[in-house]
Amino acid sequence: MSQIPAELQYTKEHEWVAPTSTAGTIRMGITDFAQHALGDIVYVLTPKIGESVRAGGVCGEVESTKSVSEIYSPVSGEISAINDSVVANPESINSSPYGTGWLFEISNVSPQDIGGLLDSASYAALISAE
């Protein structure tokens, strides 16, 4: 059974979103469900700080011993931080997808984008159907 923290929001593409202490900025990563499906993660490609991203657009990739999966931006905004630790140690996504395995932060996020994300119950229903 995958972990689905209630305090996070989710996308249909299996990314999670958490607010940060800075208004209009979110932190994101891939879900426990996604990291289980991928298997052992060996490489992460993230966008660069300052790069603009749009909700639903491809903004990186995660490579595992099984496959390569695209990362989709859960919201529109600007990349404001990258988790350099996860780039250097991509396996941290497998061991801590909601903790040390976060990917990057996006600033200048519209409240409408955040409102369009799934809550934990909706995400649980989504993955139970897969």
Side-chain angles (χ1 to χ4, degrees), residues 47-53 77-82 105-108:
K48 298 188 182 336
I49 292 178
E51 188 174 325
S52 291
V53 293
E78 183 177 303
I79 301 299
S80 56
I82 302 293
E105 293 182 356
I106 303 172
S107 60
N108 302 321

Side-chain angles (χ1 to χ4, degrees), residues 93-109:
I93 295 171
N94 294 116
S95 60
S96 182
Y98 302 115
T100 59
W102 65 275
L103 297 172
F104 45 86
E105 293 182 356
I106 303 172
S107 60
N108 302 321
V109 174

